């Protein structure tokens, strides 16, 4: 039993060079750990509040207010609490904040403490984080199942200056082990790079480390990826599938209720978007579509799930924002069949665990995800293993802040084998 002796935070930079919060928790037995909070670009309207300073510093993106909230009120409130009781810790911070979206203290402040204490408590317990989390939240799981990666090899939308409209084109390697899946992903990634180069496309990279060529159409990306899978010596469908995150709230026009695809010079209704996914499912090894419709387009989400849900994984990201209230509504209405889990959308580890538990109880698939602005923190890899998530989504096979999560997963695989 170890108590929280101190928590403190400071400002660091994320992978886009924007400020974010890093916190350190120190326990009475000398255990110390740090954790860092990521940050999104295509954020959902219903996410918990990321507290930013405004003003001149860092173009308004400074996080000194969030840092001060950790060092002041949060530090005072959590000092002396039992570190391994993560549920009590998060409840205390949520109460201290007192708002529905953590707008008083900031989700970035609360999450930094939530994660740093969890990490310190795992050190104190002498357990790797994935084992500790399973124990701390009383998860009744026996074996460890490594998540299948969804690797974002082609970036578009808000992550790549709108070279194509769809934000993420991901490959999903289906090999038996994590290390084989990572190898396959890397080989396909490099094959794609060579192919793009050979066709005269730009091979610069987007925010999540995938290529960001100006292709002149969204479907060309699908064709290039299928070609790259073959070029790397793998079979599309059997060995490597494709997942998409159009992040469609970003190109949805709420006034006309239309989806504007600039790269295709087309404007589609929700029904036509659903039709597009259905067509692509037949033509390409497409198994999963995230935020295929906009975050508040509820009726059409229900329609899409009725039409495609038995054949296609439909993932709610901006749609659910890791929020049990929104997920509950989705379950009741029959919208989506999978949830993207992002710790900072809701702002604490405990609420994230609750969203995962609810998803499980309704047979929704679980995908643990990074943000487009990341740090070297690899907590999500451990979280994915702790809960036996079906999938993990953590970017491309380049850029350390992405690759370190895959490296951590391979390390865990060696431990649990
Ligand atoms: C998403 C994420 C992560 P962002 O939309 O799924 O890939 O992007 O962090 O910008 O919201
Ligand atoms: Mg998304």
């Amino acid at each position: 039993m170890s108590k929280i002796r101190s928590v403190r935070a400071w400002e660091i930079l994320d992978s886009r060079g924007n400020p974010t919060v890093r916190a350190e928790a120190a326990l009475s037995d000398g255990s110390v750990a740090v954790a860092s909070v990521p940050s999104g670009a295509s954020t959902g309207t219903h996410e918990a509040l990321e507290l930013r300073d405004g003003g001149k510093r860092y173009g308004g993106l400074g996080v000194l207010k969030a840092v001060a909230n950790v060092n002041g009120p949060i530090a005072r409130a959590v000092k002396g609490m039992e570190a391994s009781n993560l549920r009590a810790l998060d409840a205390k911070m949520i109460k201290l904040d007192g708002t529905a979206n953590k707008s008083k203290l900031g989700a970035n402040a609360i999450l930094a403490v939530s994660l740093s204490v969890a990490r310190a408590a795992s050190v104190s317990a002498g357990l790797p984080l994935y084992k500790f989390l399973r124990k701390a939240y009383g998860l009744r799981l026996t074996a460890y199942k490594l998540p299948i990666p969804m690797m974002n090899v082609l970036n578009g939308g808000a992550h790549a200056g709108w070279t194509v409209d769809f934000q993420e084109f991901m490959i999903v390697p289906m090999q038996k082990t994590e290390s084989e899946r990572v190898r396959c992903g890397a080989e396909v990634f490099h094959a794609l790079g060579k192919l793009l180069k050979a066709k005269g496309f730009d091979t610069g990279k987007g925010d999540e480390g995938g290529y960001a060529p100006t292709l002149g159409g969204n479907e060309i990306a699908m064709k290039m990826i299928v070609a790259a899978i073959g070029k790397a010596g793998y079979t599309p469908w059997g060995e490597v599938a494709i997942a998409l995150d159009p992040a469609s709230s970003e190109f949805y026009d709420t006034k006309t209720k239309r989806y504007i695809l600039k790269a295709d010079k087309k404007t589609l209704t929700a029904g036509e978007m659903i039709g597009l996914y259905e067509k692509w499912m037949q033509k390409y090894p497409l198994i999963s579509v995230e935020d295929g419709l906009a975050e508040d387009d509820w009726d059409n989400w229900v329609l899409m799930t009725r039409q495609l849900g038995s054949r296609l994984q439909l993932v709610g990201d901006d749609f659910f924002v890791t929020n049990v209230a929104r997920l509950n509504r989705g379950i009741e209405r029959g919208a989506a069949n999978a949830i993207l889990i992002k710790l900072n959308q809701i702002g604490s580890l405990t609420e994230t665990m609750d969203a995962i538990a609810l998803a499980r109880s309704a047979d929704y698939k679980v995908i643990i995800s990074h943000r487009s602005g990341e740090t070297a923190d690899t907590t999500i890899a451990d979280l994915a293993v702790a809960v036996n998530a079906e999938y993990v989504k953590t970017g491309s096979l380049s850029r350390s802040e992405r690759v370190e999560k895959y490296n951590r997963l391979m390390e865990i695989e060696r431990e649990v084998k």
Side-chain angles (χ1 to χ4, degrees):
M1 291 288 157
S2 212
K3 304 225 179 310
I4 299 173
R5 199 179 64 209
S6 67
V7 294
R8 60 190 186 103
W10 57 93
E11 193 178 58
I12 62 162
L13 293 186
D14 71 13
S15 56
R16 275 192 284 249
N18 293 326
T20 189
V21 183
R22 175 170 289 171
E24 178 197 79
L27 309 187
S28 53
D29 68 356
S31 307
V32 180
V34 297
S36 308
V37 174
S39 174
S42 63
T43 45
T45 320
H46 306 286
E47 294 192 20
L49 184 103
E50 183 179 68
L51 187 59
R52 301 266 180 202
D53 299 337
K56 274 215 168 117
R57 275 185 87 247
Y58 287 113
L61 296 180
V63 291
L64 294 182
K65 285 182 188 160
V67 163
N69 288 342
V70 173
N71 293 337
I74 296 178
R76 282 195 295 276
V78 304
K79 190 175 174 175
M81 289 186 85
E82 175 55 46
S84 61
N85 193 344
L86 304 176
R87 205 165 263 288
L89 169 78
D90 289 341
K92 181 93 171 223
M93 291 191 284
I94 290 163
K95 193 156 172 236
L96 185 69
D97 175 84
T99 67
N101 66 345
K102 302 190 174 62
S103 52
K104 188 169 166 214
L105 298 171
N108 40 355
I110 294 174
L111 183 63
V113 175
S114 183
L115 296 182
S116 61
V117 172
R119 294 192 84 93
S122 80
V123 172
S124 170
L127 291 172
L129 187 59
Y130 60 93
K131 276 194 187 157
F132 174 74
L133 290 179
R134 213 172 248 203
K135 195 161 160 244
Y137 284 97
L139 304 183
R140 273 173 300 207
L141 299 166
T142 43
Y144 286 102
K145 214 176 91 251
L146 274 288
I148 294 176
M150 293 177 159
M151 300 160 146
N152 180 9
V153 293
L154 204 143
N155 296 188
H159 295 169
W162 295 93
T163 42
V164 287
D165 304 285
F166 287 7
Q167 180 178 281
E168 298 167 32
F169 293 83
M170 296 170 276
I171 48 170
V172 189
M174 302 291 200
Q175 287 72 16
K176 284 212 177 66
T177 66
E178 199 74 333
S179 58
E180 285 171 308
R181 294 191 282 256
V182 170
R183 174 187 157 193
C184 168
E187 289 175 358
V188 173
F189 173 66
H190 292 301
L192 178 62
K194 285 193 191 120
L195 216 69
L196 289 169
K197 209 167 165 200
K199 299 227 177 231
F201 291 118
D202 180 14
T203 50
K205 299 201 177 99
D207 285 357
E208 297 185 347
Y211 299 111
T214 305
L215 293 174
N218 291 288
E219 191 170 355
I220 303 173
M222 298 297 277
K223 292 193 170 67
M224 295 297 288
I225 290 172
V226 170
I229 294 169
K231 197 159 176 263
Y234 295 97
T235 334
W237 304 103
E239 289 176 303
V240 188
I242 295 179
L244 282 180
D245 178 9
S248 69
S249 303
E250 297 288 312
F251 53 81
Y252 180 62
D253 180 20
T254 42
K255 282 209 197 85
T256 58
K257 297 192 165 41
R258 293 286 192 282
Y259 293 84
I260 301 167
L261 300 179
K262 284 204 205 93
D264 297 332
K265 299 189 180 61
K266 273 187 194 155
T267 296
L268 303 188
T269 62
E272 288 165 338
M273 289 293 284
I274 298 170
L276 178 79
Y277 302 136
E278 182 153 31
K279 196 177 94 200
W280 284 15
M281 255 172 72
Q282 286 149 8
K283 275 172 93 172
Y284 307 106
L286 177 64
I287 59 161
S288 179
V289 175
E290 175 186 329
D291 285 349
L293 295 174
E295 59 196 349
D296 288 315
D297 201 357
W298 279 90
D299 291 344
N300 287 314
W301 264 96
V302 173
L303 193 76
M304 174 166 71
T305 310
R306 265 192 224 132
Q307 273 178 240
L308 306 178
S310 62
R311 294 170 288 153
L312 187 63
Q313 178 167 280
L314 300 168
V315 186
D317 169 20
D318 292 355
F319 186 52
F320 288 142
V321 290
T322 317
N323 180 315
V324 289
R326 288 188 67 92
L327 177 58
N328 245 323
R329 188 170 164 207
I331 293 166
E332 275 164 23
R333 294 204 55 186
N337 54 30
I339 181 171
L340 200 80
I341 296 288
K342 292 166 167 169
L343 288 150
N344 80 324
Q345 275 181 332
I346 192 69
S348 77
L349 187 52
T350 301
E351 290 162 292
T352 302
M353 285 296 192
D354 290 346
I356 295 169
L358 177 61
R360 286 263 173 266
S361 73
D363 275 333
Y364 276 46
K365 296 275 192 293
V366 170
I367 301 143
I368 307 292
S369 171
H370 66 160
R371 298 306 306 243
S372 50
E374 265 294 332
T375 70
D377 190 300
T378 56
T379 301
I380 59 165
D382 284 73
L383 176 63
V385 178
V387 303
N388 276 357
E390 280 83 10
Y391 297 97
V392 70
K393 163 172 131 159
T394 187
S396 185
L397 289 305
S398 80
R399 309 275 191 253
S400 301
E401 80 280 2
R402 314 290 151 191
V403 168
E404 271 307 295
K405 275 77 159 175
Y406 297 124
N407 290 341
R408 174 66 185 146
L409 285 166
M410 291 194 289
E411 186 174 83
I412 297 175
E413 179 171 68
R414 286 195 296 276
E415 275 176 23
V416 299
K417 209 156 55 183

